[in-house]
């Protein structure tokens, strides 16, 4: 009996130890997320997107939670600034700045810890610094979502790889040079005074779904199905284009990945003032060209519109895969729903169809 | 929003002949009394005139010869003429085959999305994906440098 | 008008029966429009020439299934359009162009030079200016570009374009309006009238 108790105690102790180790790995991950609040960073990083088949070298300057990246890719130059309030894309050739409000995601870190396991896998060296490699894996099974290599001394992430749900590498960034504690002048996080500022389409504050319905003028419905582990973060009212197309955006997260659900009323896409007009595209099923030559060109050519060009041009469901995320548009009875995220196409369909 | 702003939003639609009824009358009335909007409408109309002045360009020489060669080289579907009874027989046979196939092979219709390449995605799909990407930027453990790479790529495409 | 329509019907009927000469007449009548349309979409003369060939070969092959001979033109544009989409899907052509490629900030544009001294007639006639208008067109989204070329260059009505694109005429109209707006902005000082 005593022996048994002893074994149990050892097991409990081991489990507790494992849990503690887990917690400390997650702690290291979160510490790396906050590293820029503590230390300024100047460096150069190679970055690539498998999805967009693009690579670039970026000069990084970061301090007090603000980041500036100056990219060089072939003959293209552009910069990206996150100053905490705005997300700005700077185009030096055109002297133009595209200014987006910086999205705020109040993600509960415990949610990520519930859905994913963080484990230390190995050590090594990146940009001449000793690092620890950490892998973040879904607890429900499946391939790793993220791998990060953290500077042993500062906790800063010097290398990062993201994988999609299918386990394919989608993006990666690795520092080749890094210097901590250097002075970064505040103006690098601003748009130069003489440049043209182009604000992006507005995004309202985060509100509840009920409030969103009130603001937006139609009933916004939460999908009855969300992918396992995902919770609703909140909704935003959007106005797109000069005609003010009204779109409701609901954001979900599993702590690491995000899922966006866009809803609008059926009608002319971006039609000026007609976004909510009476013309309904649902009945407009574009099989071929209508009229006498509906099947004129046979299977291959009789497809008509709605396969890429005409927004909501009649296809019941349209799927676009961009490597990292997929987007699915579903034409419901009264609503058009677009779901975007890094989940399987089947999940996207389930979410989209569960709205109405 | 001032009256001019409201009218200007509809001017291009007016210029292409896309406005009817009251809205059309409103635009016309306003343009009649507002020099600024009148000038803007003229600019839009001149743009239209410029577009109308564009001409088609001929395909490079030799294109017809190439088409002809290919056309003569391959067999082609013809509207075949067959006796009536043959039509009737083949229609019956087809109906039977389709009916059997429907029962045996297709237990339930499965709804499938039409897959579209990212490059050919329409404006709505592009906008929602771009928007999603700016959200991803702020997500935990996002690879900001790579997201920025993609955001700029998208901006350029836009 | 209807005389021309009848002529097309007759040519289609003869081509259907296997007369290559009749098909050649159809080719002669439509090659310019199709090539221009394709060039506008794929922005590459060589690819456009290849696709022009493909369009007519496909048309020949499936002529038997064209039910309404009078709708030949729209049907031909639909074939061309689908070929473009196939190319885009397979990644061989890009329909949307990065803004940096079409911006002409490195060299002063014809537009800037044109506004300096020429009278409006001279400006309208300028081949260089037309070139510039084409360039401005190239920067539009593909859906607007195709509507503009079919409407302004080929002279098709919105109903016919709508059939080709598989959308409603209202959608074509709004694409034309948005294109007009964007082009007006791009063509800037040139289309502005000061003598109001």
């Amino acid at each position: 009996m005593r022996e048994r108790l002893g074994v149990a105690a050892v097991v409990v102790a081991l489990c507790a130890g494992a849990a503690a180790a887990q917690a400390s790995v997650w702690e290291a991950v979160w510490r790396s997320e906050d590293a820029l609040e503590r230390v300024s960073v100047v460096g150069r990083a190679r970055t690539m997107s498998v999805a967009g088949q693009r690579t670039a070298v970026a000069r990084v300057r970061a301090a007090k939670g603000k980041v500036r990246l100056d990219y060089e890719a072939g003959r293209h130059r552009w910069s990206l600034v996150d100053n905490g309030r705005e997300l700005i894309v700077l185009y030096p050739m055109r002297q133009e700045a595209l200014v987006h409000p910086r999205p705020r995601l109040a993600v509960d870190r415990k949610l990520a810890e519930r859905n994913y396991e963080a484990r230390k896998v190995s050590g090594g060296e990146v940009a001449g610094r000793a690092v620890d490699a950490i892998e973040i894996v879904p607890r429900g099974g499946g391939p790793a979502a993220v791998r990060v290599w953290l500077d042993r001394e500062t906790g800063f992430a010097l290398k990062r790889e993201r994988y999609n749900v299918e386990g394919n590498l989608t993006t990666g960034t690795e520092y080749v040079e890094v210097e901590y504690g250097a002075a970064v002048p505040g103006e690098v996080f601003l748009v130069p005074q003489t440049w043209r500022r182009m604000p992006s389409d507005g995004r309202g504050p985060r509100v509840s779904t009920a409030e969103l319905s009130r603001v937006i003028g139609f009933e916004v419905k939460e999908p009855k199905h969300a992918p396992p582990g995902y919770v609703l973060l909140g909704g935003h009212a959007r106005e797109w284009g000069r005609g003010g197309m009204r779109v409701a955006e609901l954001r979900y997260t599993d702590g690491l990945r995000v899922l966006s659900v866009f809803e609008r009323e059926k009608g002319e896409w971006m039609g000026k003032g007609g976004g909510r007009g009476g013309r309904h595209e649902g009945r407009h099923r574009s099989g071929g060209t209508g009229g006498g030559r509906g099947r004129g060109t046979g299977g291959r050519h009789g497809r008509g519109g709605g396969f890429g060009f005409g927004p909501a041009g009649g296809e019941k469901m349209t799927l676009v895969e961009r490597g990292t995320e997929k987007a699915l548009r579903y034409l419901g009875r009264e609503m058009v729903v677009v779901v975007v995220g890094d989940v399987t196409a089947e999940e996207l369909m389930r979410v989209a169809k569960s709205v109405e | 929003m001032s009256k001019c702003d409201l009218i200007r939003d509809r001017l291009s639609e007016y210029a292409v002949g896309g406005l009817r009824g009251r809205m059309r009358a409103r635009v016309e009335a306003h343009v009649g009394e507002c020099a600024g909007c009148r000038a803007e409408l003229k600019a839009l109309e001149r743009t239209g005139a410029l577009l109308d002045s564009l001409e088609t360009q001929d395909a490079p020489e030799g294109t017809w010869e190439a088409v002809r060669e290919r056309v003569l080289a391959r067999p082609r579907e013809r509207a075949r003429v067959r006796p009536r009874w043959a039509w009737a027989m083949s229609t019956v046979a087809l109906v039977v085959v389709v009916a059997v196939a429907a029962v045996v092979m297709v237990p339930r219709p499965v709804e499938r999305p039409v897959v579209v390449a990212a490059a050919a995605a329409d404006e709505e799909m592009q906008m929602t994906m771009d928007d999603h990407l700016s959200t991803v930027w702020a997500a935990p453990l996002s690879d900001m440098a790579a997201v920025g790479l993609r955001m700029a790529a998208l901006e350029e495409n836009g | 008008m209807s005389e021309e329509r009848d002529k097309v019907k007759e040519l289609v009927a003869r081509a259907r029966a296997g007369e290559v000469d009749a098909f050649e007449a159809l080719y002669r009548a439509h090659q310019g429009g199709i090539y221009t349309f394709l060039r506008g979409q794929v922005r590459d003369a060589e690819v456009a020439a290849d696709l022009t060939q493909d369009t007519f070969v496909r048309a020949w092959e499936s002529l038997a299934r064209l039910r309404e001979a009078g709708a030949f033109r729209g049907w031909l544009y639909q074939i061309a359009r689908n070929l473009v989409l196939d190319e885009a899907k397979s990644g061989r052509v890009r329909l949307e162009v990065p803004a940096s490629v079409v911006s002409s900030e490195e060299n002063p544009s014809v537009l800037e030079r044109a506004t300096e001294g020429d009278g409006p007639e001279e400006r309208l006639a300028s081949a260089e200016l037309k070139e510039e208008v084409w360039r401005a067109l190239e920067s539009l989204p593909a859906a607007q570009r195709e509507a503009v070329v079919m409407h302004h260059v080929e002279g098709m009505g919105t109903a016919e374009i709508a059939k080709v694109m598989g959308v409603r005429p209202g959608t074509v109209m709004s694409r034309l309006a948005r294109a007009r707006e964007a082009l007006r902005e791009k063509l800037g000082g040139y289309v502005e009238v000061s003598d109001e």
Side-chain angles (χ1 to χ4, degrees):
Chain A
M1 187 68 185
R2 190 180 291 170
E3 215 166 75
R4 276 211 183 153
L5 272 177
V7 170
V10 167
V11 169
V12 168
L14 277 176
C15 289
Q22 256 284 304
S24 77
V25 178
W26 267 119
E27 237 161 67
V29 171
W30 300 132
R31 215 170 95 82
S32 79
E33 285 283 281
D34 303 331
L36 289 179
E37 305 285 348
R38 301 188 304 268
V39 61
S40 71
V41 173
V42 173
R44 286 169 72 78
R46 266 200 307 264
T47 182
M48 60 110 187
S49 148
V50 176
Q53 297 182 337
R54 288 183 67 139
T55 59
V57 174
R59 177 178 177 212
V60 185
R61 284 175 284 179
K64 299 192 179 107
K66 298 175 180 175
V67 186
R68 176 178 175 131
L69 299 151
D70 299 304
Y71 292 89
E72 279 182 41
R75 54 192 187 83
H76 296 282
R77 303 277 179 283
W78 74 95
S79 305
L80 220 130
V81 173
D82 178 356
N83 63 20
R85 283 174 300 115
E86 298 161 325
L87 198 52
I88 307 164
V89 190
L90 297 165
Y91 292 103
M93 290 284 278
R94 283 183 264 152
Q95 305 226 319
E96 276 176 2
L98 228 143
V99 184
H100 306 268
R102 189 206 196 273
R104 307 227 149 268
L105 295 185
V107 180
D108 179 1
R109 289 181 168 175
K110 290 276 173 276
L111 181 65
E113 294 179 18
R114 271 205 300 279
N115 285 322
Y116 294 89
E117 183 188 337
R119 52 191 183 211
K120 202 175 142 188
V121 280
S122 64
E125 201 174 87
V126 176
R129 313 268 312 172
V131 291
D132 289 320
I134 289 168
E135 192 174 66
I136 297 168
V137 188
R139 288 190 192 276
V146 186
R147 291 201 173 93
V148 279
W149 285 256
L150 307 182
D151 190 314
R152 244 174 232 169
E153 203 180 311
T154 63
F156 184 65
L158 288 170
K159 183 176 171 184
R160 193 185 297 259
E161 288 174 352
R162 298 263 334 194
Y163 298 81
N164 64 11
V165 277
E166 284 87 13
N168 300 316
L169 177 68
T170 55
T171 60
T173 297
E174 179 174 2
Y175 277 79
V176 286
E177 290 164 22
V178 66
E179 187 193 335
Y180 296 107
V184 181
E187 66 258 28
V188 305
F189 304 116
L190 302 172
V191 178
Q193 289 239 316
T194 53
W195 288 27
R196 203 155 81 100
R197 276 176 77 97
M198 298 181 297
S200 75
D201 292 322
R203 177 187 268 154
R206 181 158 62 99
V207 291
S208 69
T209 312
E211 177 64 9
L212 186 56
S213 300
R214 204 183 58 73
V215 173
I216 211 155
F218 61 82
E219 196 197 340
V220 179
K221 293 172 184 154
E222 284 175 26
K224 290 179 195 78
H225 171 79
Y230 279 72
V231 299
L232 178 65
L233 278 173
H236 298 261
R238 309 294 316 272
E239 281 208 358
W240 279 347
R242 278 212 280 154
M245 174 99 225
R246 280 156 181 252
V247 180
E249 177 187 356
L250 297 173
R251 287 190 194 140
Y252 289 77
T253 184
D254 68 350
L256 215 57
R257 292 174 165 131
V258 282
L259 184 89
S260 306
V261 179
F262 298 87
E263 295 178 19
R264 68 171 170 99
E265 284 189 309
K266 267 190 173 173
E268 177 83 350
W269 160 254
M270 292 274 237
K272 284 195 179 147
R276 302 182 289 137
R279 292 185 288 179
H280 286 261
E281 59 211 4
R283 248 171 273 133
H284 169 77
R285 183 79 183 87
S286 55
T289 53
R293 58 196 161 99
R295 234 150 261 155
T297 48
R300 271 200 85 174
H301 297 297
R303 294 176 299 184
F307 43 90
F309 276 72
E315 297 298 351
K316 184 86 178 157
M317 279 191 282
T318 311
L319 178 71
V320 177
E321 293 192 40
R322 215 155 62 166
T324 312
E325 68 278 331
K326 302 179 190 74
L328 181 108
R329 177 174 53 214
Y330 179 74
L331 302 189
R333 282 187 306 277
E334 283 158 15
M335 312 286 292
V336 176
V337 182
V338 183
V339 187
V340 191
D342 178 17
V343 293
T344 61
E346 288 69 32
E347 276 293 343
L348 287 181
M349 268 193 272
R350 283 191 68 186
V351 175
K353 284 181 172 179
S354 75
V355 171
E356 276 190 348
Chain B
M1 214 185 199
S2 76
K3 185 151 190 201
C4 284
D5 287 337
L6 277 171
I7 295 295
R8 288 216 178 176
D9 259 359
R10 314 303 295 258
L11 267 187
S12 62
E13 271 173 278
Y14 177 82
V16 301
L19 285 189
R20 298 266 173 276
R22 271 169 62 189
M23 199 58 220
R24 186 184 170 85
R26 265 179 76 186
V27 170
E28 273 166 2
H30 178 82
V31 165
E33 61 199 24
C34 171
C37 289
R38 191 155 58 238
E40 186 54 30
L41 177 60
K42 280 227 164 128
L44 286 166
E45 285 169 350
R46 288 200 58 132
T47 306
L50 262 180
L51 289 171
D52 285 336
S53 77
L54 298 176
E55 293 135 13
T56 59
Q57 293 165 272
D58 283 342
E61 271 187 45
T63 304
W64 165 248
E65 285 68 25
V67 171
R68 187 170 194 277
E69 206 171 294
R70 288 172 64 185
V71 155
L72 293 176
R74 65 181 70 196
R76 153 192 188 195
E77 275 180 61
R78 273 161 193 274
R80 275 165 297 211
V81 181
R82 288 202 277 169
R84 277 175 165 259
W85 63 267
W87 274 114
M89 288 299 286
S90 59
T91 307
V92 168
L94 189 70
V95 166
V96 169
V97 167
V98 168
V100 168
V103 172
V104 174
M105 292 165 64
V106 191
R108 203 175 296 156
V110 183
E111 268 190 301
R112 280 182 196 285
V114 174
V115 180
V116 172
D122 63 46
E123 196 178 15
E124 178 170 34
M125 298 297 268
Q126 297 275 6
M127 280 191 82
T128 48
M129 285 191 290
D130 293 358
D131 216 79
H132 174 80
L133 203 56
S134 77
T135 306
V136 166
W137 169 277
L141 287 165
S142 93
D143 184 346
M144 285 185 177
V147 174
L149 179 71
R150 299 185 62 211
M151 279 181 73
L154 298 169
E155 298 294 0
E156 284 181 0
N157 280 336
Chain C
M1 258 301 114
S2 77
E3 208 174 285
E4 204 164 292
R5 220 181 149 81
D6 289 343
K7 173 112 181 113
V8 172
K9 277 188 180 176
E10 188 213 313
L11 287 172
V12 169
R14 282 169 49 203
R16 228 181 227 171
E19 272 187 49
V20 178
D21 289 352
F23 191 65
E24 181 175 358
L26 288 169
Y27 170 86
R28 300 275 170 222
H30 296 290
Q31 55 84 22
I34 291 293
Y35 174 69
T36 307
F37 170 78
L38 286 166
R39 214 175 147 172
Q41 289 306 101
V42 303
R43 291 168 304 213
D44 182 305
E46 232 170 273
V47 177
D50 286 351
L51 291 178
T52 304
Q53 263 191 44
D54 293 348
T55 302
F56 283 96
V57 173
R58 290 258 167 101
W60 169 265
E61 286 170 351
S62 41
L63 255 183
R65 281 177 281 147
L66 168 64
R67 287 200 207 138
E68 200 189 313
F72 180 74
R73 176 168 72 170
W75 177 73
L76 203 58
Y77 272 86
Q78 213 191 10
I79 295 179
R81 184 175 189 269
N82 286 331
L83 283 171
V84 169
L85 291 174
D86 285 345
E87 291 291 297
K89 270 189 196 171
S90 66
R92 284 189 293 271
V93 301
R94 269 183 79 185
L95 294 182
E96 309 299 345
V97 73
S100 59
V101 175
V102 285
S103 79
S104 50
E105 51 205 324
E106 291 87 357
N107 45 350
S109 73
V110 183
L111 298 172
E112 283 155 35
R113 279 180 277 140
T115 40
E116 282 162 18
D118 303 341
E121 285 76 13
E122 292 156 62
R123 284 191 233 153
L124 259 185
S126 151
E128 239 180 311
L129 172 61
K130 285 182 186 169
E131 191 68 14
E132 197 73 19
V133 178
W134 276 115
R135 210 166 307 161
L137 248 172
E138 286 191 354
S139 65
L140 295 182
Q144 291 178 24
R145 228 156 57 218
E146 58 177 355
V148 166
V149 172
M150 282 190 267
H151 183 67
H152 289 279
V153 188
E154 181 65 357
M156 289 162 72
T158 44
E160 190 178 8
I161 299 172
K163 278 189 176 181
V164 172
M165 294 170 80
V167 297
R168 285 160 301 158
T171 305
V172 175
M173 206 60 111
S174 82
R175 283 179 196 171
L176 286 173
R178 274 190 280 149
R180 182 80 67 93
E181 228 169 68
L183 289 168
R184 179 255 171 275
E185 206 133 293
K186 282 179 205 298
L187 298 175
Y190 182 76
V191 290
E192 273 155 27
V193 201
S194 50
D195 60 352
E196 182 49 45

